[in-house]
Amino acid sequence: MRITILGTGQVGITLAGGLIRAGHDVVFGSRTPDAKELPAPALEPAAAIDGADLVVSALQASVSLEVLPTLADALDGTVLIDLGNAVTPAFELMYPNSSLGEKLQQALPRTRVVKSLNSLALVTAVDPGALASTSNVFLSGDDESAKQLVSGVLADLGWAPAQQIDLGGIATAKGPEHWFVLYAILMMQRGPSFNIGIIPAA
């Protein structure tokens, strides 16, 4: 697929590496496309979105709700993965009674938003087999076909279908986003190489 990544920070670059290794064509969307060396071509955001099979927001989560609605026309009808955790500089949740994913879906009603890959470090997200045991990744979204598309990309990154947990509609994005509070504490103690694993009862 042709996948557009909005944002050229380390999150976007790490994700691009995984997607390229999986065989996808990647293009970055950036307001300054020539500002830095990247592992894939970069265009202005609207041009990068045009013709994409999937768009990923790797923008700084705290400004996503300001930036993405300015691209509403370009994002019309697209599937958008939101992988951000919107927190303040003090690591407090910006939307404690909701989630960034839900807010984006409300602000972009013509875009099919899927929340995923926000419950773990991206270095782990693109290489889940590096963990010592099997873990899980989550999806939230109102559009079933959009989630199926994202599920296929997750499988390409190494997440077997049995490891993927569909939480339901975009309102459920509140769960994995709020997990970030505990994730941040654990990351400070253990580093980024860990993830959630759901263990069923015997």
Side-chain angles (χ1 to χ4, degrees):
M1 288 194 296
R2 182 176 186 268
I3 300 177
T4 294
I5 298 176
L6 300 176
T8 58
Q10 193 56 48
V11 168
I13 291 171
T14 300
L15 181 59
L19 293 171
I20 292 168
R21 288 192 297 273
H24 295 288
D25 293 325
V26 173
V27 62
F28 284 94
S30 172
R31 289 175 295 179
T32 54
D34 300 320
K36 62 196 294 188
E37 186 174 345
L38 296 165
L43 301 169
E44 293 283 342
I49 294 168
D50 186 33
D53 299 299
L54 177 68
V55 180
V56 183
S57 174
L59 300 169
Q60 183 177 333
S62 60
V63 300
S64 293
L65 197 55
E66 300 172 20
V67 175
L68 290 174
T70 68
L71 298 168
D73 289 340
L75 290 169
D76 188 358
T78 64
V79 177
L80 174 70
I81 298 179
D82 167 38
L83 48 75
N85 291 297
V87 294
T88 69
F91 286 97
E92 296 177 349
L93 296 170
M94 291 183 65
Y95 310 113
N97 298 314
S98 183
S99 68
L100 175 59
E102 188 171 19
K103 293 287 188 182
L104 286 173
Q105 186 61 87
Q106 292 168 354
L108 297 164
R110 295 175 292 158
T111 301
R112 295 177 288 165
V113 178
V114 178
K115 189 78 181 189
S116 192
L117 296 177
N118 68 302
S119 57
L120 70 167
L122 258 294
V123 66
T124 304
V126 300
D127 188 17
L131 295 176
S133 59
T134 301
S135 62
N136 298 99
V137 67
F138 306 100
L139 301 92
S140 299
D142 293 336
D143 188 288
E144 292 301 320
S145 63
K147 285 191 286 188
Q148 290 174 9
L149 181 69
V150 173
S151 176
V153 173
L154 293 177
D156 293 340
L157 291 174
W159 295 96
Q163 293 177 268
Q164 302 179 29
I165 299 177
D166 184 343
L167 297 176
I170 195 64
T172 65
K174 180 178 178 180
E177 284 197 30
H178 284 213
W179 149 253
F180 180 78
V181 176
L182 179 55
Y183 169 83
I185 295 170
L186 290 170
M187 184 178 68
M188 295 294 292
Q189 296 180 350
R190 307 170 66 94
S193 297
F194 69 93
N195 190 31
I196 303 172
I198 306 303
I199 303 172

